[in-house]
Amino acid sequence: MKNQYPGAKNLFLETQLGIVTRTGDWFHITTDQIKQFVPGLLEKRPLDKLVEEAIAWVRSADSLSLTLLLVLLLVIHPIFAVTIAIAFHFLWYRSKSAFVTVYLGKVLKLLNTDGYLLITSLVIISALGMTGQYLAAGIGLVFFFLMKLGLLKRLWDKIDEGVDKRLTLNDRVFKMILIKYGMHYNLQPSEVQQMEDKFVELATSRKKGKS
C-alpha cells in the first residue's frame, strides 16, 4: 500500500517498507513509527518537511563539493582543486549524518536548489573561460554534470556493495533528523535503539522483496 501526500508536491510516496522519494532515495521509516519514536513531532514538523530536509542532506555532498571546487578553481591549480573536491565528497557523503543540525539543514536546502547551482556554476566557469583558464573551466563543467547526475554517489555506493552496514547512509541521516528535531521541540526521542532496529528490519525486508 502506498500513501501519496498532495502537499508534498509528489516529493515522495510512503509504503509499508518506508518512504521513497521521486529521485529514488529510500528512508526505511513510516509515519506510524515516527509517531511512536518521537511522539508529537509530526504536529510540530510535518512529514513532508522532514523528508525535504532528509533529501537535502542526502544531496548535500554534491552541492557542497561543487561549490568547494568552483571556489578552489579560482585560487589553486585545477588538478589540486578537483582532488580536494572529490576527497571532500567521499568523506562528507559517508559521514554527513554526524553533522546534522536543524539550522544547517535549511542552508543545505538552499544550496541544493537548481537556481543556486546553475547561477554559481555559470558565473565562475564563464569567468574562468574569459580569463583563459580553459582547463579549470573544463574541469568545472565536467564536475557540474557529474554532480547533477549523481555519478560520484553511485561510485561510492558501488564500492560499498557487499559491505554489511547496520543502517544505510540515508537512514542514518533520517534518524539524526528525528533526534535533532525532537530535541529542538523538547520532545525527547524514545527507544533510539528500537528505532534503529526498525530501520534495519524494513531495509532487510525491501532487499528480500527485490531478490
Side-chain angles (χ1 to χ4, degrees), residues 65-122:
S65 297
L66 179 58
T67 300
L68 176 63
L69 174 75
L70 293 172
V71 172
L72 291 177
L73 286 174
L74 296 172
V75 295
I76 65 175
H77 192 279
I79 300 302
F80 293 140
V82 75
T83 301
I84 293 171
I86 290 175
F88 174 83
H89 189 286
F90 177 79
L91 294 173
W92 182 267
Y93 183 63
R94 288 170 172 259
S95 59
K96 58 186 176 291
S97 59
F99 301 96
V100 169
T101 67
V102 169
Y103 300 106
L104 184 54
K106 301 179 190 302
V107 175
L108 293 177
K109 284 170 66 175
L110 173 63
L111 295 183
N112 287 339
T113 60
D114 289 337
Y116 165 80
L117 294 174
L118 285 171
I119 293 173
T120 304
S121 300
L122 179 62

